[in-house]
Amino acid sequence: MKSDLSTLMRERGLDALVISNPDGLAAVNAAFTYFVGAAHVTQGHIIVKAEAGLPSSEPLTLNLQPSTLLIHQPMERDEAARAGLRLHSLGGYDMRDILRAAGGDRLAAQVELMRRLFGDLGVSGRVGFYGVDQRGASFAFLNALAEAGFVEVVVEHENDVVSRARETKDAGEAALIRQTCRLTERVIGAAREFLRGHRAAGDMLVKPGGDPLTVGDVKAFVRVEQARLGLDDPGFIFSIGRDAGVPHSAGTASDVIRLGRAIIFDIFPRLPGGYHADITRTWCLGYAPDDIQRAYQDVLRVHDRAEAMFDARRPAWEYQEMACDLFEAAGHRTVRDGPGVTAGYAHSLGHGFGLAVHEPPTLRLKGLTGDEPLPPGAVITNEPGLYYPDLGWGVRVEDDYWLDPAGGVERLTEFDRDLVVPM
Amino acid sequence: MKSDLSTLMRERGLDALVISNPDGLAAVNAAFTYFVGAAHVTQGHIIVKAEAGLPSSEPLTLNLQPSTLLIHQPMERDEAARAGLRLHSLGGYDMRDILRAAGGDRLAAQVELMRRLFGDLGVSGRVGFYGVDQRGASFAFLNALAEAGFVEVVVEHENDVVSRARETKDAGEAALIRQTCRLTERVIGAAREFLRGHRAAGDMLVKPGGDPLTVGDVKAFVRVEQARLGLDDPGFIFSIGRDAGVPHSAGTASDVIRLGRAIIFDIFPRLPGGYHADITRTWCLGYAPDDIQRAYQDVLRVHDRAEAMFDARRPAWEYQEMACDLFEAAGHRTVRDGPGVTAGYAHSLGHGFGLAVHEPPTLRLKGLTGDEPLPPGAVITNEPGLYYPDLGWGVRVEDDYWLDPAGGVERLTEFDRDLVVPM
């Protein structure tokens, strides 16, 4: 969590962090959103400086106000102010002058801008760089900056300090995720009522005019419901029949909604600049065929077992190994047979989430997930599923959990897991 | 445009392009979207191989089918198929084995996966790398790949072959942008009717229950309208009064809608996986005060002049210099006084757009924009504005244009520019 940042910086010997947000990438730049929240800052940098002068044996308390700066464009000064950080405007740096001094070399000009910024803001020593950018731009800029030598460029390939802090959530963040879960469940409930509001003609749901109800119709309804509740829509899965048998198939708009087919609805919106939820329900309208019923019971068994196991002690791979044990005992193939398995249990048991839909930790097999336990504060999904595309179905149930720092485990989702939707 | 890719690759001596899409970044990874469109591929790589065996003096026609591959996760095979490219599944590469062989080093494992992929797909020689990723991951991966030496890693810092191809739009792309413009104008028109549907009590619009209508209410309406039309919402600006005087202020939800105040509505949605529009209108409900009227006329004069000037011959900085000339002659300060100007003309005249809201080229001052003319095929905005936050207002008008490859200039937007909205 954010309060770990000072300790993480000291452990890694970092004097400052620079989290950049190039134009156009803010929607997925979670490391930047972590500091600015919902403030509509389309371009800029966060600079976190280590607190100086404290004895190194004491845990540092990071007071974000004085040590965290937001470098912003002058025309975004009002939006920047909403972030509640110390502001520093780029209005004082004339890129025409800097470009001229750099002989028109735009890369050199970027390095020079950084040199001036660091000088004005007292940034020196070992500096880590974070945030998303074009691959070519990152490579060229960081190499040029390292060569310029006015700071020591520290690159953390994975498990960097910002990701590490984000991996655990404090009570405030958990509350925000809980809020998104409630809103998301309202969308799920509204979608189920929308389906139930249609009559069946034969095995097919039809609209008032008599046309068949399609996946496209339901998706349009869900998009509007999300917007009505103020939720950002990063896309969602609403698939039926064979599509439900392929975990990441988003669904085919022209597919007709029929009774007795498995519908997978996997939805993971967030409030603007906020935290996601990630919830999946499987429904059969009217009735569920026996094979789907049985597979669903197998999935619930794994789901319940994982929920009962969650704690901050056992190695994180134990959950997925357990899931494979149970599924194999029930006669299903699993990812233990290799990554190409498409019939049976074909993905990981869960993943962390927060400002991004997928974050560490992951619940995968031994060798793919490390031996570390889930850290206290982790927010993770529990989403076993079974997939039989050739039989024309798949099932998955996904709930969200917070391992609170005091050692408890809280299920953040509340929506019922009923497979059959009475029509 | 895409048909330029072969020529660009040959000019730059590139044997292959690798455009990667790490998990979670697809929404802004325009270089990847360029190849997969609306297909819901959350992770993967595009590999474009140069056609072999053609005489180098001939312009190459890039047949995307045989030479462009989409490397995908097995559980996204159906979505990948929607992209219409040659597919290659990652299901044949067991990351447990690769990780084990790499002694658990995840960076080395990524390099090894790339080595196997390149071997299987015949990728060698000079290879360029594109797409967005975390800065640390890009830096570490590309440096490790360069060190491994099985291909020559080519990094293009700016103006890379993919950006360069995307900078010009063919007739098919222009048609998609025209379509988004029509949908966006429906949202703008609906918002204006929504405002007009409220009665005024004094200078304030009120809702049926008597509460004042707020910016938050209008924003909620616009979000739902966008969703109803199937448009993705990357955020928009709806600001009134002083907020309208700050170009990138997104608007304050609690601000009350009043008669005679400047409202700036800047909206730039897209269809999922598709092309943006980018349109701004300024409205005064009921009447417009004299100073706003005059400034609006100054803005329209620059807007009209730029529209009349657009062509593929004059240096791209001429438009912004013209805008500053006209605004200064009318007594306004401009960005020629430096980047810190906040009262007057405080931004660039326009920018390219397409799969991203901001793309090359830009219409900025001499020294910030190069001497090259706008390329035939460019799609650009024309968006002069004047800002007086201390007086409590700002005005801007933004339209979109396509410089068609035959030499014509088409305004893609059609919405009227009426300042006063009769109530």
Side-chain angles (χ1 to χ4, degrees):
Chain A
M1 40 203 85
K2 228 177 247 167
S3 56
D4 299 329
L5 267 179
S6 276
T7 308
L8 287 163
M9 288 175 71
R10 197 186 46 200
E11 283 171 5
R12 302 185 186 194
L14 287 163
D15 296 303
L17 316 177
V18 177
I19 303 107
S20 295
N21 188 45
D23 181 42
L25 306 182
V28 301
N29 202 354
F32 189 75
T33 305
Y34 196 46
F35 295 94
V36 303
H40 186 71
V41 181
T42 67
Q43 251 179 301
H45 309 273
I46 291 286
I47 295 185
V48 182
K49 294 201 286 178
E51 299 284 358
L54 293 179
S56 66
S57 59
E58 295 274 296
L60 302 179
T61 44
L62 185 77
N63 182 343
L64 283 174
Q65 292 305 323
S67 61
T68 303
L69 290 126
L70 171 53
I71 320 300
H72 65 91
Q73 298 287 347
M75 72 177 183
E76 297 193 330
R77 59 196 181 280
D78 284 4
E79 292 299 328
R82 293 182 212 262
L85 303 170
R86 208 175 114 205
L87 301 184
H88 186 79
S89 173
L90 287 165
Y93 305 85
D94 191 329
M95 282 310 288
R96 278 179 306 178
D97 291 347
I98 295 176
L99 261 169
R100 204 175 302 127
D105 180 331
R106 293 171 59 85
L107 179 57
Q110 276 181 41
V111 172
E112 173 60 17
L113 172 63
M114 210 42 79
R115 196 188 61 73
R116 293 186 190 187
L117 270 173
F118 286 179
D120 292 347
L121 299 171
V123 174
S124 61
R126 283 171 52 82
V127 182
F129 291 84
Y130 312 88
V132 297
D133 200 351
Q134 305 298 328
R135 294 213 285 185
S138 298
F139 183 84
F141 173 71
L142 292 176
N143 274 312
L145 198 66
E147 190 152 323
F150 53 83
V151 291
E152 181 181 344
V153 173
V154 179
V155 171
E156 300 182 282
H157 166 239
E158 279 192 332
N159 191 27
D160 61 76
V161 292
V162 181
S163 303
R164 191 73 187 172
R166 284 173 49 212
E167 187 172 347
T168 59
K169 277 78 177 176
D170 61 29
E173 293 173 284
L176 292 170
I177 296 171
R178 218 177 279 120
Q179 179 191 10
T180 315
C181 284
R182 291 296 79 70
L183 292 169
T184 304
E185 287 168 348
R186 282 174 62 185
V187 176
I188 298 172
R192 187 163 65 181
E193 287 313 302
F194 177 75
L195 292 166
R196 294 193 63 209
H198 290 80
R199 67 184 174 84
D203 75 338
M204 199 161 76
L205 292 204
V206 292
K207 295 188 273 193
D211 286 341
L213 183 73
T214 64
V215 164
D217 295 325
V218 182
K219 287 197 159 196
F221 174 84
V222 169
R223 288 176 62 100
V224 172
E225 279 302 295
Q226 288 184 113
R228 271 198 344 103
L229 296 173
L231 292 167
D232 271 351
D233 173 19
F236 57 89
I237 291 171
F238 191 95
S239 58
I240 187 165
R242 188 194 167 278
D243 278 357
V246 181
H248 266 201
S249 174
T252 304
S254 58
D255 276 3
V256 169
I257 307 292
R258 295 179 193 276
L259 302 181
R261 306 289 170 96
I263 290 171
I264 286 187
F265 185 20
D266 185 346
I267 180 168
F268 36 88
R270 64 168 179 171
L271 291 169
Y275 288 78
H276 289 268
D278 190 0
I279 309 177
T280 305
R281 287 297 179 268
T282 301
W283 295 326
C284 287
L285 304 182
Y287 70 95
D290 286 349
D291 52 354
I292 297 180
Q293 288 262 24
R294 271 194 305 272
Y296 195 68
Q297 290 308 317
D298 292 341
V299 163
L300 290 185
R301 198 169 308 119
V302 171
H303 191 269
D304 289 343
R305 181 76 67 91
E307 179 169 317
M309 283 170 71
F310 281 140
D311 65 39
R313 290 185 305 272
R314 67 182 80 241
W317 50 258
E318 282 196 13
Y319 307 98
Q320 175 76 332
E321 296 287 350
M322 170 282 292
C324 289
D325 287 344
L326 289 194
F327 280 134
E328 286 167 11
H332 304 285
R333 293 190 69 198
T334 73
V335 283
R336 275 207 290 233
D337 293 331
V341 165
T342 54
Y345 178 53
H347 55 64
S348 65
L349 183 64
H351 56 82
F353 69 94
L355 292 170
V357 184
H358 293 148
E359 295 182 359
T362 55
L363 303 182
R364 311 180 89 176
L365 291 174
K366 189 167 180 173
L368 288 172
T369 290
D371 289 335
E372 304 78 27
L374 298 173
V379 168
I380 48 167
T381 69
N382 170 17
E383 50 175 314
L386 287 169
Y387 305 91
Y388 290 96
D390 293 345
L391 302 177
W393 57 265
V395 292
R396 176 165 74 252
V397 171
E398 179 181 29
D399 282 316
D400 303 334
Y401 301 81
W402 181 45
L403 277 64
D404 76 54
V409 178
E410 177 188 347
R411 178 150 46 70
L412 299 165
T413 38
E414 294 177 351
F415 203 88
D416 68 74
R417 305 185 303 183
D418 300 348
L419 173 65
V420 175
V421 177
M423 295 298 291
Chain B
M1 41 202 84
K2 229 176 247 169
S3 57
D4 298 329
L5 267 178
S6 276
T7 308
L8 287 164
M9 287 174 70
R10 196 186 48 200
E11 283 172 4
R12 301 185 187 195
L14 287 163
D15 296 303
L17 316 177
V18 177
I19 303 108
S20 295
N21 188 45
D23 182 41
L25 306 183
V28 301
N29 202 354
F32 189 75
T33 305
Y34 196 45
F35 295 94
V36 302
H40 188 70
V41 181
T42 67
Q43 250 180 303
H45 309 273
I46 291 285
I47 295 183
V48 181
K49 294 201 286 179
E51 299 283 359
L54 293 179
S56 67
S57 60
E58 295 273 297
L60 301 181
T61 43
L62 185 76
N63 182 341
L64 283 174
Q65 292 304 324
S67 61
T68 303
L69 290 125
L70 171 53
I71 320 301
H72 65 91
Q73 298 287 346
M75 71 177 184
E76 296 192 331
R77 60 195 180 280
D78 284 4
E79 292 299 328
R82 293 182 210 261
L85 302 171
R86 209 175 114 206
L87 300 184
H88 186 78
S89 173
L90 287 165
Y93 305 85
D94 192 328
M95 282 310 288
R96 278 179 306 177
D97 291 347
I98 295 176
L99 262 169
R100 205 176 300 126
D105 179 332
R106 294 171 58 87
L107 178 58
Q110 277 182 40
V111 171
E112 173 60 18
L113 172 62
M114 211 40 79
R115 196 189 60 74
R116 294 187 190 187
L117 271 172
F118 286 179
D120 292 347
L121 298 171
V123 173
S124 61
R126 283 171 54 81
V127 182
F129 291 84
Y130 312 89
V132 297
D133 200 351
Q134 305 298 328
R135 293 213 285 184
S138 298
F139 182 85
F141 173 72
L142 292 176
N143 275 311
L145 198 67
E147 189 151 324
F150 52 85
V151 292
E152 182 181 343
V153 173
V154 178
V155 171
E156 300 182 282
H157 165 238
E158 279 191 332
N159 190 27
D160 61 77
V161 292
V162 181
S163 302
R164 190 73 186 172
R166 285 173 49 211
E167 187 172 346
T168 58
K169 278 78 178 177
D170 62 29
E173 293 173 284
L176 292 170
I177 295 171
R178 217 178 279 120
Q179 179 191 11
T180 315
C181 284
R182 291 295 79 70
L183 291 169
T184 304
E185 287 168 350
R186 282 174 63 184
V187 176
I188 297 172
R192 188 164 63 181
E193 287 313 301
F194 178 75
L195 291 166
R196 294 193 63 207
H198 290 79
R199 67 184 173 85
D203 76 336
M204 199 162 76
L205 291 206
V206 291
K207 294 188 274 193
D211 286 340
L213 183 74
T214 64
V215 164
D217 294 325
V218 181
K219 287 197 158 197
F221 174 83
V222 169
R223 288 176 62 100
V224 171
E225 278 303 294
Q226 289 184 113
R228 273 197 342 103
L229 295 174
L231 292 168
D232 271 352
D233 174 20
F236 56 89
I237 291 171
F238 190 96
S239 58
I240 186 165
R242 187 194 167 279
D243 279 357
V246 181
H248 266 202
S249 174
T252 304
S254 58
D255 276 2
V256 170
I257 308 292
R258 294 178 193 275
L259 302 181
R261 306 288 170 97
I263 290 171
I264 286 187
F265 186 19
D266 184 348
I267 181 169
F268 37 89
R270 64 168 179 171
L271 291 169
Y275 288 78
H276 290 269
D278 190 359
I279 308 177
T280 304
R281 286 297 179 267
T282 300
W283 294 326
C284 287
L285 305 183
Y287 69 96
D290 285 349
D291 52 353
I292 297 180
Q293 289 262 24
R294 272 195 305 273
Y296 195 68
Q297 290 309 315
D298 292 341
V299 163
L300 290 185
R301 198 169 308 121
V302 170
H303 190 269
D304 289 342
R305 182 76 67 91
E307 179 170 315
M309 282 170 71
F310 280 140
D311 64 40
R313 290 185 305 273
R314 68 182 79 241
W317 49 258
E318 282 195 12
Y319 307 97
Q320 176 76 333
E321 296 287 350
M322 170 281 291
C324 290
D325 288 344
L326 289 193
F327 280 133
E328 287 168 11
H332 304 285
R333 292 191 70 197
T334 73
V335 283
R336 275 206 289 233
D337 294 330
V341 166
T342 54
Y345 177 53
H347 54 64
S348 64
L349 184 64
H351 56 83
F353 70 93
L355 292 171
V357 183
H358 294 148
E359 295 183 358
T362 54
L363 302 182
R364 312 180 89 179
L365 291 173
K366 187 166 181 173
L368 288 171
T369 290
D371 289 335
E372 303 79 27
L374 298 174
V379 169
I380 49 167
T381 69
N382 171 16
E383 51 174 313
L386 287 169
Y387 306 91
Y388 289 96
D390 292 345
L391 303 177
W393 56 266
V395 293
R396 177 166 71 252
V397 171
E398 179 181 29
D399 282 314
D400 302 335
Y401 300 82
W402 180 45
L403 277 65
D404 75 54
V409 177
E410 177 187 348
R411 178 152 42 72
L412 299 164
T413 37
E414 295 178 350
F415 203 88
D416 69 74
R417 305 184 303 181
D418 299 349
L419 173 65
V420 175
V421 177
M423 294 299 290

